[in-house]
Amino acid sequence: MRSKKEAKRILKAFGRAEGKARIEYIDSFLPEKTSYIGSINYKHMLRRAAIVVVLMVMIMALAASAYAAVLHYLNYTKIEHKDNDEYISVDGTSGKDDDYSDITFLEPTYIPDGYTLKSESYDEVFQEKIWRYVGKNGEALNILEYPAIVGVHMDNEGATRSTEIIRDTEIVLYNYPDGTAGVLQYDKTLIIINSCLDAEEMKKIVLGIIPE
């Protein structure tokens, strides 16, 4: 008797469990249930998209800051006079002279056609290196490199001045009626170029000097 009652109880419990499972299975196809599940997935997708956007913004910000970090600026103060622009090294005025005892001289790799090397000199006392080139008709092209604590004067009479970024380096260009000059700084090296060339040739010379 007991066994029959126990069997009936077990069957009823099984029936209730099976019925509940069937109801849940059917409910999963109802519009209300589908809408609820869809809203969960939609919210999850929105959260994931928001995270992706935040990560992209962070990556772009880091990339921009890294790019800014590798730019080589002219770390000089410019004072305009009537006939010249005076450039005073910011480091030179702050007593950092010893930091420039190991500068790297950058060899020119591009020289316009028709120019030949006239002389190459190096002064160990003043740590300056000069390349002098001459064109077919006697045109001069001089490339001078110094420690970036040396003050310089650039002729500004009859010149138009512009500042550009060539590759990753800032250069101040002086365009004269009969040529172009440029002043730039790469790390601890100050570079001055005087020429009878136009601005485009000047930029090619700069690209041939600064490292890639």
Side-chain angles (χ1 to χ4, degrees), residues 1 16 21 45 70 99 106 138 144 155 158 162-163 171 177 187 204 206-207:
M1 234 8 209
R16 284 196 296 271
M45 288 174 65
V70 300
D99 296 340
L106 305 172
L144 309 90
D155 182 13
S162 63
T163 301
I171 178 172
D187 293 337
K204 291 178 183 178
V206 172
L207 284 171

Side-chain angles (χ1 to χ4, degrees), residues 11-30 33:
L11 285 172
K12 284 182 180 180
F14 177 77
R16 284 196 296 271
E18 186 180 15
K20 184 178 179 182
R22 287 180 179 178
I23 290 171
E24 289 178 351
Y25 177 74
I26 292 169
D27 282 349
S28 67
F29 292 96
L30 293 177
K33 195 73 173 181

Side-chain angles (χ1 to χ4, degrees), residues 69-89:
V70 300
L71 283 177
H72 297 87
Y73 290 104
L74 185 60
N75 195 29
Y76 275 70
T77 298
K78 179 170 66 68
I79 302 173
E80 294 186 28
H81 300 290
K82 183 178 179 179
D83 59 354
N84 70 84
D85 291 342
E86 181 181 5
Y87 288 87
I88 301 173
S89 171

Side-chain angles (χ1 to χ4, degrees), residues 107-191:
E107 297 281 339
T109 60
Y110 172 82
I111 299 300
D113 291 339
Y115 281 81
T116 56
L117 182 63
K118 183 179 179 181
S119 66
E120 179 180 338
S121 60
Y122 172 63
D123 189 316
E124 293 185 3
V125 177
F126 294 100
Q127 276 189 285
E128 63 180 31
K129 191 166 185 178
I130 302 175
W131 292 264
R132 300 185 189 278
Y133 299 86
V134 61
K136 292 179 180 179
N137 300 316
E139 307 94 333
L141 166 60
N142 299 319
I143 301 173
L144 309 90
E145 298 186 6
Y146 309 94
I149 52 172
V150 174
V152 296
H153 292 77
M154 300 294 292
D155 182 13
N156 60 19
E157 286 191 296
T160 57
R161 183 180 58 234
S162 63
T163 301
E164 298 187 28
I165 300 295
I166 298 179
R167 193 177 288 142
D168 60 357
T169 304
E170 178 187 49
I171 178 172
V172 181
L173 290 171
Y174 288 81
N175 292 288
Y176 307 101
D178 58 351
T180 310
V183 56
L184 61 144
Q185 178 180 343
Y186 193 90
D187 293 337
K188 299 179 180 181
T189 307
L190 178 70
I191 304 167

Side-chain angles (χ1 to χ4, degrees), residues 27-65:
D27 282 349
S28 67
F29 292 96
L30 293 177
E32 296 81 4
K33 195 73 173 181
T34 304
S35 175
Y36 176 70
I37 294 171
S39 67
I40 293 175
N41 290 337
Y42 182 70
K43 289 177 181 177
H44 177 71
M45 288 174 65
L46 282 178
R47 282 198 299 270
R48 186 168 61 183
I51 291 170
V52 170
V53 170
V54 170
L55 287 174
M56 288 299 294
V57 170
M58 290 176 65
I59 291 169
M60 291 175 68
L62 287 171
S65 62

